[in-house]
Amino acid sequence: MTDAALRTPLYGEHVEAGGRMVTFAGWRLPVRYGSILDEARAVRNSAGMFDVSHMGRVRLQGSEALDVLLRLGTNDLRKVAPGRAQYTLWCTPDGGAIDDLIDLWIADHDFIVVMNASRRDDDLAHLEDEARTKDATVVDETMDTVMIAVQGPEARGIVSSLGEVPELPRFGVGRATIAGVAAFVSRTGYTGEDGVELVCEAGAGPRLWEALREAGVVPCGLGARDALRMEMGYPLYGHELGLDISPLEAGVAFAVSLDDRDFIGSDALRKLAQDGPPRKLMGFVCEKPAVPQPGDEIGSGTVTSGGTSVVLGKPIGLGFVPSDTSPGPVSLRTRGKEIPCELRTLPLIERKRPKKKKTKT
Amino acid sequence: MTDFPRDVRYTPEHEWARLEGDLVRVGITHYAQDALGDVVYVELPELGARVTQEAPFGEIQSPKAVSDLFAPVTGEIVERNDEVVAAPELVNEDPYGEGWLVAIRADEPAELDGLLDARAYEELVESLDEEA
Protein backbone atom coordinates (compact mmCIF):
# COMPACT_ATOMS: atom_id res chain seq x y z
CA MET A 1 0.00 0.00 0.00
CA THR A 2 2.00 2.97 -1.21
CA ASP A 3 1.03 5.13 -4.15
CA ALA A 4 -2.33 3.50 -4.69
CA ALA A 5 -4.12 5.76 -2.19
CA LEU A 6 -7.70 6.43 -3.22
CA ARG A 7 -9.24 9.85 -3.72
CA THR A 8 -12.76 10.76 -2.71
CA PRO A 9 -14.91 12.64 -5.23
CA LEU A 10 -14.24 15.76 -3.11
CA TYR A 11 -10.46 15.55 -3.50
CA GLY A 12 -10.37 18.57 -5.80
CA GLU A 13 -12.35 20.67 -3.31
CA HIS A 14 -9.93 19.77 -0.53
CA VAL A 15 -6.83 20.64 -2.50
CA GLU A 16 -8.32 23.89 -3.74
CA ALA A 17 -9.19 24.87 -0.16
CA GLY A 18 -5.60 24.29 0.93
CA GLY A 19 -6.29 20.95 2.59
CA ARG A 20 -3.15 19.30 3.90
CA MET A 21 -3.60 15.86 2.41
CA VAL A 22 -2.50 12.71 4.20
CA THR A 23 -3.10 9.03 3.60
CA PHE A 24 -5.59 7.59 6.07
CA ALA A 25 -6.80 3.99 5.76
CA GLY A 26 -5.69 3.99 2.13
CA TRP A 27 -7.41 7.28 1.22
CA ARG A 28 -6.02 10.75 0.56
CA LEU A 29 -7.87 13.04 2.95
CA PRO A 30 -7.29 16.46 4.51
CA VAL A 31 -5.91 16.30 8.04
CA ARG A 32 -6.65 20.04 8.28
CA TYR A 33 -7.17 23.07 6.06
CA GLY A 34 -5.79 25.63 8.50
CA SER A 35 -5.84 25.25 12.25
CA ILE A 36 -7.09 21.97 13.75
CA LEU A 37 -8.15 23.86 16.86
CA ASP A 38 -10.18 26.42 14.88
CA GLU A 39 -11.86 23.62 12.95
CA ALA A 40 -12.76 21.75 16.14
CA ARG A 41 -14.12 24.99 17.63
CA ALA A 42 -16.28 25.56 14.56
CA VAL A 43 -17.99 22.23 15.19
CA ARG A 44 -18.50 22.93 18.91
CA ASN A 45 -19.72 26.50 18.38
CA SER A 46 -21.37 26.69 14.95
CA ALA A 47 -21.09 24.16 12.12
CA GLY A 48 -18.31 22.20 10.47
CA MET A 49 -18.25 19.46 7.87
CA PHE A 50 -16.13 16.43 7.14
CA ASP A 51 -15.69 14.45 3.96
CA VAL A 52 -16.31 10.93 5.25
CA SER A 53 -16.61 9.39 1.80
CA HIS A 54 -13.74 7.06 2.66
CA MET A 55 -16.04 5.18 5.03
CA GLY A 56 -17.56 2.08 3.51
CA ARG A 57 -21.20 2.28 2.44
CA VAL A 58 -22.67 -1.08 1.61
CA ARG A 59 -26.27 -1.50 0.52
CA LEU A 60 -28.03 -4.57 1.85
CA GLN A 61 -31.43 -5.35 0.33
CA GLY A 62 -33.77 -8.31 0.49
CA SER A 63 -36.47 -9.97 2.56
CA GLU A 64 -33.83 -11.41 4.91
CA ALA A 65 -31.54 -8.39 5.10
CA LEU A 66 -32.67 -7.70 8.67
CA ASP A 67 -31.89 -11.30 9.66
CA VAL A 68 -28.37 -10.95 8.26
CA LEU A 69 -27.73 -7.81 10.30
CA LEU A 70 -29.25 -9.35 13.44
CA ARG A 71 -26.88 -12.29 13.07
CA LEU A 72 -23.84 -10.00 12.71
CA GLY A 73 -24.58 -7.08 14.99
CA THR A 74 -24.15 -6.87 18.75
CA ASN A 75 -26.98 -4.35 18.93
CA ASP A 76 -30.59 -5.42 18.47
CA LEU A 77 -31.96 -3.77 15.34
CA ARG A 78 -35.48 -4.86 16.35
CA LYS A 79 -35.33 -2.13 18.99
CA VAL A 80 -35.60 0.38 16.16
CA ALA A 81 -37.52 0.48 12.89
CA PRO A 82 -37.27 1.65 9.29
CA GLY A 83 -36.38 5.33 9.30
CA ARG A 84 -33.85 4.90 12.07
CA ALA A 85 -30.11 4.36 12.35
CA GLN A 86 -28.38 2.23 14.94
CA TYR A 87 -24.81 2.02 16.17
CA THR A 88 -23.60 -1.57 16.36
CA LEU A 89 -20.50 -3.75 16.34
CA TRP A 90 -19.60 -6.91 14.51
CA CYS A 91 -17.60 -9.46 16.48
CA THR A 92 -15.67 -12.64 15.96
CA PRO A 93 -16.90 -15.79 17.70
CA ASP A 94 -14.32 -14.91 20.38
CA GLY A 95 -16.03 -11.58 21.02
CA GLY A 96 -13.30 -9.40 19.52
CA ALA A 97 -14.48 -6.44 17.48
CA ILE A 98 -14.33 -6.80 13.70
CA ASP A 99 -15.64 -3.26 13.33
CA ASP A 100 -18.04 -0.71 14.72
CA LEU A 101 -20.70 0.41 12.28
CA ILE A 102 -23.90 2.34 11.72
CA ASP A 103 -26.86 0.60 10.14
CA LEU A 104 -29.07 3.06 8.28
CA TRP A 105 -32.48 1.43 8.00
CA ILE A 106 -33.81 3.32 5.01
CA ALA A 107 -36.84 1.17 4.12
CA ASP A 108 -38.40 -2.16 5.12
CA HIS A 109 -35.90 -4.42 3.39
CA ASP A 110 -33.26 -1.85 2.56
CA PHE A 111 -30.20 -0.86 4.61
CA ILE A 112 -27.01 1.11 4.18
CA VAL A 113 -24.26 -0.26 6.40
CA VAL A 114 -21.61 2.36 7.16
CA MET A 115 -18.23 0.96 8.13
CA ASN A 116 -14.68 2.07 8.83
CA ALA A 117 -12.53 2.50 5.73
CA SER A 118 -9.77 0.41 7.26
CA ARG A 119 -12.19 -2.49 7.80
CA ARG A 120 -14.15 -2.39 4.55
CA ASP A 121 -12.58 -5.45 2.92
CA ASP A 122 -12.95 -7.63 6.00
CA ASP A 123 -16.45 -6.33 6.68
CA LEU A 124 -17.55 -7.03 3.12
CA ALA A 125 -16.27 -10.60 3.28
CA HIS A 126 -17.96 -11.10 6.63
CA LEU A 127 -21.24 -9.65 5.36
CA GLU A 128 -21.19 -11.65 2.14
CA ASP A 129 -20.48 -14.81 4.10
CA GLU A 130 -23.63 -14.30 6.09
CA ALA A 131 -25.80 -13.05 3.21
CA ARG A 132 -24.87 -15.92 0.90
CA THR A 133 -27.45 -18.32 2.33
CA LYS A 134 -30.17 -15.72 2.73
CA ASP A 135 -32.35 -13.53 0.56
CA ALA A 136 -30.12 -10.50 0.86
CA THR A 137 -28.07 -8.72 -1.79
CA VAL A 138 -24.82 -6.99 -0.93
CA VAL A 139 -23.72 -4.06 -3.09
CA ASP A 140 -20.69 -1.97 -2.15
CA GLU A 141 -21.70 1.61 -3.04
CA THR A 142 -18.66 3.27 -1.48
CA MET A 143 -17.09 4.40 -4.74
CA ASP A 144 -20.40 5.55 -6.24
CA THR A 145 -21.41 7.83 -3.40
CA VAL A 146 -20.18 10.71 -1.27
CA MET A 147 -20.77 11.03 2.47
CA ILE A 148 -20.54 14.37 4.26
CA ALA A 149 -20.92 14.77 8.02
CA VAL A 150 -22.30 18.23 8.91
CA GLN A 151 -21.87 18.74 12.63
CA GLY A 152 -22.42 21.46 15.18
CA PRO A 153 -25.22 23.35 16.92
CA GLU A 154 -26.05 25.23 13.72
CA ALA A 155 -25.59 22.27 11.36
CA ARG A 156 -29.18 21.14 11.00
CA GLY A 157 -30.46 24.67 10.62
CA ILE A 158 -28.06 25.40 7.79
CA VAL A 159 -28.75 22.11 6.01
CA SER A 160 -32.50 22.67 6.26
CA SER A 161 -32.15 26.17 4.84
CA LEU A 162 -30.67 24.71 1.65
CA GLY A 163 -33.57 22.53 0.62
CA GLU A 164 -36.23 20.10 1.68
CA VAL A 165 -35.05 18.19 4.71
CA PRO A 166 -37.32 16.13 6.94
CA GLU A 167 -37.43 16.91 10.66
CA LEU A 168 -35.64 13.93 12.13
CA PRO A 169 -35.37 12.64 15.69
CA ARG A 170 -31.94 11.67 16.98
CA PHE A 171 -30.74 8.72 14.88
CA GLY A 172 -33.57 9.31 12.41
CA VAL A 173 -32.99 8.55 8.72
CA GLY A 174 -34.78 10.04 5.72
CA ARG A 175 -34.46 11.41 2.24
CA ALA A 176 -33.75 15.02 1.46
CA THR A 177 -33.03 17.36 -1.40
CA ILE A 178 -30.27 19.80 -0.49
CA ALA A 179 -29.05 22.41 -2.96
CA GLY A 180 -30.84 20.38 -5.61
CA VAL A 181 -28.98 17.21 -4.65
CA ALA A 182 -30.92 14.11 -3.62
CA ALA A 183 -29.44 12.62 -0.49
CA PHE A 184 -30.05 10.24 2.35
CA VAL A 185 -29.88 12.15 5.59
CA SER A 186 -29.35 10.69 9.05
CA ARG A 187 -29.18 12.56 12.34
CA THR A 188 -25.94 10.90 13.32
CA GLY A 189 -22.29 11.82 13.76
CA TYR A 190 -19.01 11.22 15.55
CA THR A 191 -18.46 14.53 17.31
CA GLY A 192 -20.95 14.66 20.18
CA GLU A 193 -22.68 17.61 18.55
CA ASP A 194 -26.06 17.65 16.91
CA GLY A 195 -25.89 17.30 13.14
CA VAL A 196 -26.52 15.12 10.15
CA GLU A 197 -24.67 12.86 7.79
CA LEU A 198 -25.54 13.05 4.10
CA VAL A 199 -25.06 10.41 1.43
CA CYS A 200 -25.47 11.40 -2.20
CA GLU A 201 -24.39 10.25 -5.63
CA ALA A 202 -20.65 10.74 -6.19
CA GLY A 203 -21.06 13.15 -9.09
CA ALA A 204 -23.25 15.49 -7.06
CA GLY A 205 -20.90 15.51 -4.07
CA PRO A 206 -18.89 18.59 -5.04
CA ARG A 207 -22.09 20.61 -5.60
CA LEU A 208 -23.41 19.64 -2.17
CA TRP A 209 -20.05 20.39 -0.49
CA GLU A 210 -19.79 23.81 -2.15
CA ALA A 211 -23.37 24.72 -1.25
CA LEU A 212 -22.71 23.88 2.39
CA ARG A 213 -19.46 25.84 2.37
CA GLU A 214 -21.13 28.89 0.85
CA ALA A 215 -23.80 28.64 3.56
CA GLY A 216 -21.07 29.01 6.19
CA VAL A 217 -20.26 25.43 7.14
CA VAL A 218 -16.53 25.23 7.90
CA PRO A 219 -14.60 22.43 6.15
CA CYS A 220 -12.81 20.36 8.79
CA GLY A 221 -10.14 17.70 8.51
CA LEU A 222 -9.32 14.42 10.16
CA GLY A 223 -7.38 16.19 12.92
CA ALA A 224 -10.45 18.01 14.21
CA ARG A 225 -12.57 14.89 13.81
CA ASP A 226 -10.14 12.92 15.95
CA ALA A 227 -9.96 15.62 18.64
CA LEU A 228 -13.75 15.90 18.82
CA ARG A 229 -14.42 12.19 19.09
CA MET A 230 -11.71 11.91 21.74
CA GLU A 231 -13.41 14.53 23.91
CA MET A 232 -16.53 12.38 23.75
CA GLY A 233 -14.63 9.14 24.37
CA TYR A 234 -15.87 7.58 21.15
CA PRO A 235 -13.66 4.64 20.14
CA LEU A 236 -11.66 4.66 16.92
CA TYR A 237 -11.09 1.24 15.41
CA GLY A 238 -7.41 0.31 15.60
CA HIS A 239 -7.02 2.39 18.78
CA GLU A 240 -9.86 1.63 21.20
CA LEU A 241 -11.37 -1.27 19.23
CA GLY A 242 -9.78 -4.25 17.56
CA LEU A 243 -9.92 -8.00 17.12
CA ASP A 244 -8.25 -8.29 20.55
CA ILE A 245 -10.53 -5.74 22.20
CA SER A 246 -14.08 -6.47 23.26
CA PRO A 247 -16.88 -3.91 22.90
CA LEU A 248 -17.53 -4.50 26.61
CA GLU A 249 -14.12 -3.02 27.38
CA ALA A 250 -14.25 -0.11 24.94
CA GLY A 251 -17.08 1.82 26.55
CA VAL A 252 -19.70 0.73 24.00
CA ALA A 253 -21.48 -1.92 26.08
CA PHE A 254 -24.68 0.10 25.42
CA ALA A 255 -24.54 -1.28 21.88
CA VAL A 256 -24.25 -4.90 23.02
CA SER A 257 -27.69 -6.37 23.53
CA LEU A 258 -27.40 -9.88 24.97
CA ASP A 259 -30.97 -10.43 26.12
CA ASP A 260 -32.65 -13.40 24.43
CA ARG A 261 -30.61 -13.29 21.33
CA ASP A 262 -27.78 -15.02 19.56
CA PHE A 263 -25.37 -13.39 17.18
CA ILE A 264 -21.80 -14.06 16.17
CA GLY A 265 -19.78 -13.59 19.35
CA SER A 266 -22.75 -13.55 21.74
CA ASP A 267 -21.60 -16.59 23.75
CA ALA A 268 -18.15 -15.12 24.31
CA LEU A 269 -19.57 -11.70 25.18
CA ARG A 270 -22.09 -13.24 27.58
CA LYS A 271 -19.27 -15.02 29.39
CA LEU A 272 -17.15 -11.87 29.48
CA ALA A 273 -20.11 -9.89 30.81
CA GLN A 274 -20.55 -12.45 33.61
CA ASP A 275 -16.86 -12.66 34.51
CA GLY A 276 -16.36 -8.92 34.17
CA PRO A 277 -13.82 -7.60 31.66
CA PRO A 278 -10.30 -7.12 33.08
CA ARG A 279 -9.88 -3.62 31.67
CA LYS A 280 -11.96 -0.63 30.74
CA LEU A 281 -11.60 2.52 28.69
CA MET A 282 -11.14 5.81 30.54
CA GLY A 283 -10.14 9.31 29.58
CA PHE A 284 -7.51 11.56 31.05
CA VAL A 285 -6.73 15.27 31.09
CA CYS A 286 -3.12 16.45 31.35
CA GLU A 287 -2.35 19.22 33.83
CA LYS A 288 0.85 20.16 31.95
CA PRO A 289 1.70 20.41 28.27
CA ALA A 290 2.14 17.01 26.66
CA VAL A 291 1.23 15.09 23.55
CA PRO A 292 0.10 11.68 24.79
CA GLN A 293 0.95 8.95 22.30
CA PRO A 294 -0.55 5.49 21.90
CA GLY A 295 1.55 3.08 23.95
CA ASP A 296 2.46 5.62 26.66
CA GLU A 297 1.68 4.56 30.22
CA ILE A 298 -1.22 6.22 32.01
CA GLY A 299 -1.31 5.18 35.66
CA SER A 300 -1.28 1.39 35.51
CA GLY A 301 -2.83 1.41 32.04
CA THR A 302 -1.92 2.15 28.43
CA VAL A 303 -2.73 5.14 26.24
CA THR A 304 -4.65 4.38 23.03
CA SER A 305 -5.19 7.94 21.69
CA GLY A 306 -3.95 11.43 22.51
CA GLY A 307 -4.77 14.93 21.41
CA THR A 308 -5.87 18.38 22.50
CA SER A 309 -9.31 19.35 23.77
CA VAL A 310 -10.51 22.73 22.55
CA VAL A 311 -13.22 22.75 25.20
CA LEU A 312 -10.86 22.06 28.11
CA GLY A 313 -7.87 23.81 26.55
CA LYS A 314 -5.66 20.96 27.67
CA PRO A 315 -4.09 17.81 26.28
CA ILE A 316 -6.34 14.79 26.63
CA GLY A 317 -6.26 11.12 25.84
CA LEU A 318 -7.95 7.76 26.11
CA GLY A 319 -6.55 4.55 27.47
CA PHE A 320 -7.28 1.13 28.87
CA VAL A 321 -6.88 0.75 32.62
CA PRO A 322 -7.61 -2.15 35.00
CA SER A 323 -11.35 -2.45 35.65
CA ASP A 324 -11.08 -1.51 39.31
CA THR A 325 -9.42 1.84 38.51
CA SER A 326 -11.13 4.90 39.99
CA PRO A 327 -11.01 8.43 38.60
CA GLY A 328 -8.34 10.65 40.13
CA PRO A 329 -4.80 11.88 39.77
CA VAL A 330 -2.31 9.70 37.86
CA SER A 331 0.91 10.16 35.93
CA LEU A 332 1.32 9.96 32.18
CA ARG A 333 4.73 8.66 31.20
CA THR A 334 5.60 10.04 27.78
CA ARG A 335 8.96 10.74 26.16
CA GLY A 336 10.74 9.85 29.38
CA LYS A 337 8.78 12.41 31.41
CA GLU A 338 6.07 12.17 34.04
CA ILE A 339 3.12 14.45 33.36
CA PRO A 340 0.47 14.91 36.07
CA CYS A 341 -2.97 13.98 34.78
CA GLU A 342 -6.46 13.38 36.00
CA LEU A 343 -8.11 10.11 35.07
CA ARG A 344 -11.79 10.61 34.30
CA THR A 345 -14.86 8.69 33.24
CA LEU A 346 -16.06 9.31 29.71
CA PRO A 347 -17.08 11.57 28.10
CA LEU A 348 -14.40 14.10 29.00
CA ILE A 349 -16.64 17.07 28.25
CA GLU A 350 -20.23 17.89 28.99
CA ARG A 351 -22.09 17.70 25.76
CA LYS A 352 -23.08 21.28 25.38
CA ARG A 353 -25.73 22.62 23.13
CA PRO A 354 -25.07 26.35 23.06
CA LYS A 355 -28.00 28.59 22.28
CA LYS A 356 -27.96 30.04 18.83
CA LYS A 357 -26.18 33.34 19.02
CA LYS A 358 -25.17 35.90 16.50
CA THR A 359 -21.46 35.85 15.81
CA LYS A 360 -19.65 39.11 15.39
CA THR A 361 -18.17 39.60 11.97
CA MET B 1 5.16 36.99 4.33
CA THR B 2 8.47 35.92 2.92
CA ASP B 3 8.74 32.18 3.38
CA PHE B 4 12.54 32.16 2.95
CA PRO B 5 14.04 35.43 4.20
CA ARG B 6 17.59 36.00 3.03
CA ASP B 7 18.91 37.59 6.22
CA VAL B 8 18.92 34.30 8.13
CA ARG B 9 20.63 30.92 7.87
CA TYR B 10 18.78 27.63 8.14
CA THR B 11 19.32 24.22 9.70
CA PRO B 12 18.17 21.05 7.94
CA GLU B 13 15.83 20.60 10.96
CA HIS B 14 13.99 23.81 10.04
CA GLU B 15 15.36 26.30 12.53
CA TRP B 16 16.47 29.73 11.36
CA ALA B 17 19.39 31.69 12.85
CA ARG B 18 19.93 35.43 12.43
CA LEU B 19 23.23 37.10 13.36
CA GLU B 20 22.58 40.29 15.40
CA GLY B 21 25.89 41.74 16.54
CA ASP B 22 27.41 38.93 18.61
CA LEU B 23 24.05 37.25 19.22
CA VAL B 24 22.34 34.60 17.13
CA ARG B 25 18.56 34.85 17.28
CA VAL B 26 16.78 31.53 16.65
CA GLY B 27 13.32 30.42 15.65
CA ILE B 28 11.60 27.84 13.49
CA THR B 29 10.87 28.43 9.83
CA HIS B 30 7.62 29.24 8.13
CA TYR B 31 7.70 25.79 6.59
CA ALA B 32 8.16 24.17 10.01
CA GLN B 33 5.29 26.03 11.66
CA ASP B 34 3.06 25.26 8.70
CA ALA B 35 3.94 21.58 8.83
CA LEU B 36 3.40 21.41 12.60
CA GLY B 37 0.07 23.19 12.60
CA ASP B 38 -1.17 24.87 15.76
CA VAL B 39 1.78 25.34 18.08
CA VAL B 40 0.33 24.75 21.55
CA TYR B 41 3.46 24.63 23.68
CA VAL B 42 7.08 25.71 23.53
CA GLU B 43 9.69 24.58 26.05
CA LEU B 44 12.81 26.73 26.13
CA PRO B 45 16.03 26.49 28.14
CA GLU B 46 16.79 28.80 31.06
CA LEU B 47 18.96 31.87 30.60
CA GLY B 48 22.61 30.95 30.93
CA ALA B 49 22.09 27.39 29.71
CA ARG B 50 24.73 26.00 27.35
CA VAL B 51 23.57 24.65 24.01
CA THR B 52 25.49 22.67 21.42
CA GLN B 53 25.19 22.91 17.67
CA GLU B 54 22.93 20.18 16.25
CA ALA B 55 21.84 19.07 19.75
CA PRO B 56 18.29 19.54 21.08
CA PHE B 57 17.77 22.66 23.22
CA GLY B 58 13.99 22.63 23.64
CA GLU B 59 10.69 21.25 22.52
CA ILE B 60 7.78 22.42 20.44
CA GLN B 61 4.35 20.79 20.48
CA SER B 62 1.34 20.73 18.22
CA PRO B 63 -1.85 18.86 19.11
CA LYS B 64 -0.50 15.65 17.60
CA ALA B 65 3.29 15.87 17.72
CA VAL B 66 6.26 16.80 19.85
CA SER B 67 9.38 18.00 18.03
CA ASP B 68 12.83 18.74 19.36
CA LEU B 69 14.39 22.12 18.69
CA PHE B 70 17.98 21.91 17.50
CA ALA B 71 20.61 24.53 18.23
CA PRO B 72 22.06 26.13 15.09
CA VAL B 73 25.25 27.14 16.93
CA THR B 74 27.11 26.30 20.13
CA GLY B 75 26.94 28.88 22.90
CA GLU B 76 25.01 30.32 25.82
CA ILE B 77 21.33 31.24 26.00
CA VAL B 78 21.23 34.98 26.68
CA GLU B 79 17.62 35.73 25.78
CA ARG B 80 14.47 33.67 25.74
CA ASN B 81 11.14 34.77 24.34
CA ASP B 82 8.78 34.45 27.29
CA GLU B 83 5.98 35.95 25.21
CA VAL B 84 6.07 32.96 22.92
CA VAL B 85 5.97 30.63 25.92
CA ALA B 86 2.80 32.40 27.08
CA ALA B 87 1.32 32.63 23.58
CA PRO B 88 2.75 29.81 21.45
CA GLU B 89 0.55 30.77 18.49
CA LEU B 90 3.05 33.60 17.85
CA VAL B 91 5.21 30.93 16.24
CA ASN B 92 2.47 30.30 13.67
CA GLU B 93 1.62 33.94 13.19
CA ASP B 94 5.09 35.41 12.80
CA PRO B 95 7.78 32.71 12.74
CA TYR B 96 10.62 35.02 11.69
CA GLY B 97 9.59 37.93 13.91
CA GLU B 98 7.53 37.91 17.13
CA GLY B 99 7.71 34.12 17.13
CA TRP B 100 11.48 33.95 17.74
CA LEU B 101 12.50 31.53 20.49
CA VAL B 102 15.94 32.23 21.97
CA ALA B 103 19.09 34.25 21.40
CA ILE B 104 22.43 32.50 21.75
CA ARG B 105 25.82 34.11 22.37
CA ALA B 106 27.76 31.96 19.93
CA ASP B 107 31.19 30.67 20.86
CA GLU B 108 32.08 30.70 17.18
CA PRO B 109 29.73 32.89 15.13
CA ALA B 110 31.46 31.46 12.06
CA GLU B 111 29.50 28.25 12.70
CA LEU B 112 26.64 30.05 10.98
CA ASP B 113 28.50 29.88 7.68
CA GLY B 114 28.11 26.12 7.73
CA LEU B 115 24.30 26.37 7.75
CA LEU B 116 22.04 26.52 4.70
CA ASP B 117 21.39 29.82 2.95
CA ALA B 118 17.88 30.77 1.80
CA ARG B 119 18.30 29.22 -1.60
CA ALA B 120 19.65 25.91 -0.32
CA TYR B 121 16.92 25.73 2.31
CA GLU B 122 14.22 26.46 -0.26
CA GLU B 123 15.56 23.60 -2.37
CA LEU B 124 15.47 21.32 0.66
CA VAL B 125 11.84 22.23 1.33
CA GLU B 126 10.91 21.69 -2.32
CA SER B 127 12.47 18.24 -2.24
CA LEU B 128 10.47 17.43 0.92
CA ASP B 129 7.25 18.62 -0.68
CA GLU B 130 7.88 16.37 -3.66
CA GLU B 131 8.30 13.39 -1.39
CA ALA B 132 5.03 14.13 0.39
Side-chain angles (χ1 to χ4, degrees):
Chain A
M1 221 177 68
T2 47
D3 294 337
L6 299 164
R7 294 176 175 188
T8 77
L10 300 176
Y11 182 85
E13 276 65 31
H14 302 321
V15 170
E16 198 175 324
R20 190 162 290 269
M21 308 305 284
V22 298
T23 301
F24 175 79
W27 292 79
R28 294 296 284 172
L29 287 165
V31 66
R32 60 189 170 89
Y33 299 85
S35 151
I36 288 179
L37 303 180
D38 286 348
E39 290 168 19
R41 278 185 207 108
V43 172
R44 290 278 177 247
N45 300 326
S46 52
M49 62 180 168
F50 306 87
D51 177 8
V52 289
S53 304
H54 62 296
M55 299 190 78
R57 287 170 299 285
V58 176
R59 198 74 172 259
L60 186 71
Q61 291 171 307
S63 64
E64 292 179 297
L66 174 61
D67 302 305
V68 171
L69 295 177
L70 285 171
R71 179 76 191 136
L72 297 177
T74 59
N75 213 343
D76 190 349
L77 260 175
R78 293 169 304 185
K79 287 180 183 169
V80 298
R84 288 298 174 104
Q86 190 185 54
Y87 177 77
T88 193
L89 296 103
W90 292 355
C91 285
T92 63
D94 298 338
I98 293 172
D99 200 3
D100 63 337
L101 316 92
I102 297 270
D103 294 328
L104 304 179
W105 196 342
I106 54 183
D108 275 351
H109 304 295
D110 194 355
F111 297 84
I112 299 173
V113 182
V114 183
M115 52 190 61
N116 280 300
S118 62
R119 303 301 297 152
R120 185 166 133 236
D121 291 347
D122 286 13
D123 286 355
L124 263 175
H126 191 57
L127 179 60
E128 278 163 354
D129 238 22
E130 196 56 37
R132 191 164 293 130
T133 55
K134 296 205 173 79
D135 176 31
T137 315
V138 177
V139 180
D140 182 359
E141 296 184 341
T142 309
M143 309 307 275
D144 308 320
T145 54
V146 154
M147 189 167 184
I148 302 171
V150 192
Q151 304 277 293
E154 293 172 14
R156 287 198 308 134
I158 294 175
V159 170
S160 297
S161 74
L162 293 175
E164 288 170 41
V165 183
E167 190 62 32
L168 296 170
R170 227 168 95 70
F171 277 86
V173 183
R175 289 170 196 258
T177 305
I178 302 153
V181 175
F184 289 109
V185 52
S186 61
R187 196 167 162 193
T188 52
Y190 189 48
T191 61
E193 294 300 322
D194 195 4
V196 290
E197 293 179 294
L198 309 171
V199 177
C200 72
E201 187 199 310
R207 181 146 61 111
L208 181 55
W209 180 267
E210 280 307 311
L212 289 163
R213 198 182 52 77
E214 280 167 22
V217 182
V218 177
C220 299
L222 294 170
R225 189 169 162 81
D226 192 47
L228 292 161
R229 68 98 194 166
M230 219 178 290
E231 288 180 326
M232 295 305 295
Y234 296 157
L236 173 62
Y237 197 93
H239 290 253
E240 289 80 30
L241 281 172
L243 291 170
D244 56 348
I245 303 172
S246 160
L248 299 179
E249 300 169 310
V252 288
F254 69 87
V256 180
S257 177
L258 291 165
D259 298 334
D260 301 323
R261 54 186 303 259
D262 282 305
F263 54 86
I264 299 175
S266 57
D267 290 344
L269 290 172
R270 207 167 273 126
K271 182 168 189 311
L272 187 62
Q274 277 158 10
D275 297 349
R279 58 183 174 173
K280 64 179 177 184
L281 190 67
M282 288 187 82
F284 60 89
V285 179
C286 302
E287 302 304 339
K288 287 194 174 159
V291 184
Q293 301 287 336
D296 288 347
E297 285 173 48
I298 180 73
S300 42
T302 306
V303 174
T304 50
S305 293
T308 295
S309 164
V310 293
V311 172
L312 303 172
K314 291 177 179 177
I316 57 168
L318 305 176
F320 284 109
V321 293
S323 287
D324 57 1
T325 307
S326 303
V330 290
S331 286
L332 168 74
R333 276 170 293 283
T334 184
R335 280 171 61 94
K337 290 183 191 172
E338 299 232 348
I339 307 286
C341 293
E342 194 195 337
L343 207 52
R344 295 195 193 172
T345 54
L346 296 169
L348 288 168
I349 60 164
E350 287 297 317
R351 193 170 164 187
K352 56 168 192 170
R353 297 273 176 84
K355 296 263 182 342
K356 232 182 195 175
K357 58 181 177 203
K358 297 230 162 51
T359 39
K360 278 184 190 164
T361 48
Chain B
M1 171 175 11
T2 314
D3 292 353
F4 305 99
R6 304 179 76 95
D7 65 335
V8 303
R9 291 292 183 130
Y10 301 86
T11 73
E13 286 85 22
H14 309 287
E15 290 85 12
W16 57 260
R18 182 188 289 124
L19 190 62
E20 297 177 359
D22 62 345
L23 298 187
V24 176
R25 197 165 302 278
V26 180
I28 67 164
T29 66
H30 170 72
Y31 175 86
Q33 67 78 24
D34 189 46
L36 275 171
D38 303 291
V39 173
V40 293
Y41 176 63
V42 178
E43 188 175 284
L44 299 176
E46 297 299 322
L47 292 179
R50 294 283 307 169
V51 298
T52 308
Q53 189 179 38
E54 293 180 16
F57 71 86
E59 231 176 59
I60 193 159
Q61 297 183 1
S62 69
K64 290 302 274 186
V66 186
S67 304
D68 283 322
L69 297 163
F70 293 92
V73 293
T74 299
E76 181 187 331
I77 300 289
V78 290
E79 290 178 33
R80 46 175 267 161
N81 188 351
D82 289 320
E83 279 173 40
V84 89
V85 172
E89 63 272 16
L90 285 173
V91 175
N92 294 117
E93 289 163 7
D94 190 9
Y96 297 109
E98 304 272 305
W100 67 276
L101 301 174
V102 295
I104 301 169
R105 178 165 290 122
D107 295 355
E108 299 284 347
E111 277 185 334
L112 275 183
D113 299 337
L115 301 180
L116 304 173
D117 63 14
R119 190 184 171 137
Y121 180 66
E122 191 170 354
E123 280 170 14
L124 171 72
V125 164
E126 278 168 13
S127 71
L128 293 173
D129 281 343
E130 277 161 26
E131 280 169 33

